[in-house]
Amino acid sequence: MLELKSLKKSYHQGSQTIEIFENLNFHVGEGQRVAIMGKSGSGKSTLLSLISGIIKPDDGDISLNSVSYKDLQESELNDFRAMNIGFIFQNFHLVSYLNALENVMLPAKVCNISKPREKAIKLLESVGLGHRMEHLPSQLSGGEKQRVAIARALIHNPKIILADEPSGNLDDETGNAVMDILFELIKKNNTTLILVTHSKDVANRCEKTYELLQGSLTQC
Ligand SMILES: Nc1ncnc2c1ncn2[C@@H]1O[C@H](COP(=O)(O)OP(=O)(O)OP(=O)(O)O)[C@@H](O)[C@H]1O
Ligand SMILES: [Mg+2]
């Protein structure tokens, strides 16, 4: 369902060229859960940004559910991303002036999904935050913020979730509890998951683990 073909991506910083991918090919099947590991700076977040369409490759193409990003105009790609992709970031990226419930409702509103409030309440309850719906992000603990981020990533039933070190900021016990919730919810919906992590334990929850090294993904 996700196909990366001959991807090339470099960054340019002054006179310096930082080559991240020269010729990356990668495939992820529907409903698969895939972990990506690799050293800091190897390009894991860049890979997720390319898959999301937030940044563009220098060459090559990405397709999700047989839709090639190359065939989409900028606004079409933005809509496509909003409808099909859910994100979970390491630093949560919650909107600071919206409460937990409003944060979770955001993607549903963008995608014009019916009954966003009911869905958001149900999801917040399923991540154990039925009693924190009116809290602002600044009034939530790290694990609670991450659970809000998980609920927000799932509300519009995306085809694929991209998660960048989702438990990186949490203690082991809280991180494990948050991962239990994430994996339970995505299994229920058969959502494809691409999970960047530095933790072998978290990676072991996925069906396949790849290491990103010098621009190549190798299955571990
Ligand atoms: N916008 C940018 N401009 C220039 N260089 C960049 C840019 N974004 C990332 N880089 C560089 O590209 C490399 C890969 O960055 P990336 O964030 O993808 O790494 P990562 O594998 O996610 O690392 P980490 O595990 O530390 O999060 C890094 O060396 C980084 O400095
Ligand atoms: Mg990163």
Side-chain angles (χ1 to χ4, degrees):
M1 61 105 57
L2 174 72
E3 190 89 52
L4 312 188
K5 282 185 220 143
S6 311
L7 273 199
K8 195 172 156 62
K9 177 70 192 168
S10 307
Y11 291 115
H12 300 281
Q13 188 78 47
S15 60
Q16 202 189 0
T17 300
I18 306 162
E19 195 164 87
I20 310 290
F21 302 116
E22 200 186 339
N23 180 17
L24 180 71
N25 295 286
F26 191 50
H27 170 88
V28 181
E30 186 165 2
Q32 260 187 6
R33 292 171 291 266
V34 166
I36 310 277
M37 300 189 80
K39 278 196 190 136
S40 175
S42 57
K44 303 177 301 297
S45 297
T46 302
L47 179 66
L48 294 190
S49 299
L50 286 164
I51 295 170
S52 71
I54 290 172
I55 62 170
K56 296 212 176 339
D58 303 327
D59 205 355
D61 193 21
I62 298 165
S63 58
L64 182 60
N65 273 355
S66 307
V67 175
S68 162
Y69 290 11
K70 263 189 175 163
D71 296 339
L72 301 177
Q73 302 290 327
E74 193 67 36
S75 63
E76 291 172 325
L77 182 56
N78 289 342
D79 291 347
F80 183 80
R81 176 190 312 125
M83 298 291 287
N84 293 289
I85 301 180
F87 293 95
I88 305 171
F89 299 95
Q90 181 175 15
N91 295 320
F92 322 124
H93 285 215
L94 299 177
V95 180
S96 61
Y97 54 85
L98 297 181
N99 69 29
L101 182 62
E102 291 161 341
N103 263 287
V104 176
M105 280 163 64
L106 264 184
K109 286 194 158 169
V110 173
C111 296
N112 224 348
I113 279 170
S114 64
K115 302 191 177 167
R117 196 181 169 83
E118 282 86 338
K119 284 188 180 137
I121 290 172
K122 218 169 142 197
L123 265 170
L124 277 171
E125 282 169 351
S126 68
V127 298
L129 288 178
H131 61 316
R132 292 285 185 270
M133 290 195 282
E134 282 170 18
H135 277 51
L136 292 170
S138 60
Q139 298 166 328
L140 295 167
S141 74
E144 288 171 344
K145 278 189 264 214
Q146 197 56 303
R147 283 183 275 155
V148 173
I150 289 172
R152 183 182 59 178
L154 285 160
I155 190 165
H156 54 308
N157 284 326
K159 301 270 183 308
I160 186 164
I161 297 261
L162 305 177
D164 202 349
E165 299 182 42
S167 56
N169 271 331
L170 307 175
D171 64 85
D172 284 352
E173 195 181 327
T174 311
N176 272 329
V178 167
M179 287 299 101
D180 285 345
I181 292 167
L182 173 66
F183 277 79
E184 193 184 309
L185 291 173
I186 62 169
K187 265 183 201 157
K188 213 160 70 186
N189 297 322
N190 199 33
T191 314
T192 307
L193 173 71
I194 301 187
L195 173 80
V196 166
T197 181
H198 288 292
S199 156
K200 284 219 165 78
D201 288 342
V202 173
N204 284 340
R205 292 171 178 258
C206 296
E207 286 131 15
K208 288 184 181 171
T209 299
Y210 293 85
E211 189 183 5
L212 180 54
L213 184 65
Q214 288 165 354
S216 291
L217 284 164
T218 312
Q219 197 174 342
C220 303

